[in-house]
Amino acid sequence: MTIDVLGEPYTVETIELSDDFEGTVVATLVKRDADGDAKGAVLYVHGFSDYFFQKEYAEWWTARGYDFYALDLRKYGRSLLEHQSGTYIGDLSEYFDEIDAAWERITERDGHSHIMLSAHSTGGLTVSLWAHDRQPDALAGMVLNSPWLDLQGSFLLRELATPVVRRIGHRVPMRELGRDVSGYYTMSLHVDHDGEWEFDLGLKPVGSYPIRLGWLKAIRDGHARLHRGLDVKAPVLVLSSDRSSKPKAMGDIVHSTDIVLDVRQIRRWSTAIGRHVTYVAVPGAKHDVILSRPDVRKQAYAEIERWLAAYGV
């Protein structure tokens, strides 16, 4: 392990994976040790057009006695290589390889038997599918931050669009989907714009990464699997904002609503994840709840604390 770009005490290691159609593939595992003796571990997985930089979140867990690990998935963040199409995946189950590898390091190498999974947005969909498929004994619970559980838009739009996405995404998976990205969300986060957080805009760009039809097909296939019902046996906490919006300009609404996903869909589909799901809408939260304004994320952390105590995890 070496010192991570976040600086000490964060360390980083590369996970070598099997080559894909573009060549060499790697993932990256970041770690911060618990403050004092560790009673468990957390494995965090980021969302789309994202990577791990949320130090405050890591330090919240390490202060409570958890070793904190964060996985930059293949073709994201620290794992993105020059020859790769950033963020592209043809099937969400391909990510299971790096989650398996991280899990093995945490359990077998580092000796943890009490592990919390935590994930944001697309990562929340991916880890839910992984936990259902793998049924790991060491999984103590999951904390999902605005997981992406359905496609935005009306029911009619979803019903009409999904078969087309599947057909074209299979034929020409690398074709980009045209879309208009305002950039308000990332600007509301970054310290050089309208936010308070420092991160690499080359790895989490204001304009996002392109969406390719093969990737969108993979997402819709993942949604369909979740909608049929998963069987995650560990307790699950799902956090989101209390409302969504589509702002036309930068302003307070950008900072106090989810402008990326429809929180009604998160609320609707959360219980499809497993047997013990707690859903909490945090008033005034952003899409990434733990990057909301200070008073809002204070409430979010209080909700996680309450949930941990309730389930004894």
Side-chain angles (χ1 to χ4, degrees):
M1 291 188 184
T2 59
I3 302 301
D4 185 52
V5 293
L6 296 176
E8 294 186 287
Y10 293 89
T11 58
V12 66
E13 61 180 299
T14 299
I15 299 174
E16 304 288 343
L17 300 168
S18 299
D19 292 358
D20 72 358
F21 71 100
E22 291 186 316
T24 302
V25 180
V26 301
T28 311
L29 189 63
V30 180
K31 182 185 180 185
R32 179 186 170 112
D33 289 333
D35 300 347
D37 294 335
K39 64 180 181 182
V42 175
L43 175 60
Y44 173 81
V45 179
H46 58 80
F48 174 70
S49 193
D50 204 359
Y51 73 107
F52 171 66
F53 63 88
Q54 292 87 343
K55 294 195 296 182
E56 182 183 273
Y57 189 59
E59 290 159 12
W60 187 89
W61 284 101
T62 59
R64 285 155 181 79
Y66 291 84
D67 286 343
F68 187 92
Y69 301 79
L71 187 61
D72 274 12
L73 300 168
R74 65 185 69 195
K75 305 187 182 184
Y76 281 93
R78 301 163 180 81
S79 307
L80 180 60
L81 305 178
E82 289 186 1
H83 64 276
Q84 293 177 326
S85 303
T87 77
Y88 182 77
I89 198 82
D91 190 304
L92 293 179
S93 64
E94 294 176 40
Y95 290 134
F96 292 4
D97 287 348
E98 51 256 54
I99 301 175
D100 286 343
W103 199 262
E104 182 178 9
R105 284 162 170 78
I106 296 168
T107 55
E108 297 184 16
R109 184 191 67 189
D110 296 350
H112 287 291
S113 59
H114 182 93
I115 304 170
M116 305 295 298
L117 261 179
S118 184
H120 170 56
S121 199
T122 312
L125 173 62
T126 301
V127 303
S128 296
L129 297 170
W130 178 87
H132 167 80
D133 185 82
R134 297 299 197 253
Q135 296 291 327
D137 292 337
L139 181 61
M142 299 202 309
V143 178
L144 305 182
N145 169 2
S146 301
W148 190 16
L149 306 182
D150 202 355
L151 190 66
Q152 304 90 298
S154 69
F155 173 79
L156 180 61
L157 176 63
R158 297 196 302 276
E159 288 296 298
L160 292 174
T162 297
V164 176
V165 166
R166 288 198 171 107
R167 184 168 60 253
I168 300 178
H170 176 73
R171 293 177 180 172
V172 282
M174 301 305 289
R175 178 180 292 179
E176 294 184 15
L177 178 67
R179 61 191 182 121
D180 182 21
V181 180
S182 70
Y184 295 148
Y185 176 63
T186 300
M187 288 190 288
S188 78
L189 301 177
H190 199 275
V191 68
D192 288 347
H193 293 275
D194 208 39
E196 61 177 293
W197 307 103
E198 293 186 10
F199 52 87
D200 187 339
L201 287 172
L203 302 181
K204 183 178 176 62
V206 169
S208 187
Y209 279 91
I211 286 181
R212 301 180 186 275
L213 289 174
W215 174 88
L216 188 55
K217 175 184 179 298
I219 295 296
R220 292 306 283 156
D221 289 345
H223 287 157
R225 292 199 295 273
L226 181 136
H227 293 173
R228 290 193 293 269
L230 304 181
D231 186 25
V232 176
K233 296 179 176 63
V236 180
L237 173 64
V238 176
L239 300 171
S240 80
S241 181
D242 62 330
R243 62 192 182 109
S244 299
S245 70
K246 297 179 180 179
K248 301 299 183 183
M250 181 62 75
D252 183 70
I253 196 170
V254 175
H255 288 277
S256 58
T257 63
D258 190 326
I259 68 171
V260 178
L261 297 183
D262 186 339
V263 299
R264 295 171 299 180
Q265 295 175 337
I266 298 173
R267 185 181 303 116
R268 176 186 178 187
W269 290 112
S270 289
T271 54
I273 296 171
R275 305 178 184 184
H276 302 282
V277 179
T278 303
Y279 171 77
V280 178
V282 181
K286 296 182 182 182
H287 175 53
D288 191 330
V289 175
I290 63 168
L291 299 182
S292 301
R293 287 169 168 168
D295 59 330
V296 176
R297 63 181 188 266
K298 181 180 179 180
Q299 180 179 344
Y301 284 125
E303 295 290 354
I304 301 173
E305 191 93 73
R306 182 180 299 112
W307 176 81
L308 288 171
Y311 278 94
V313 294

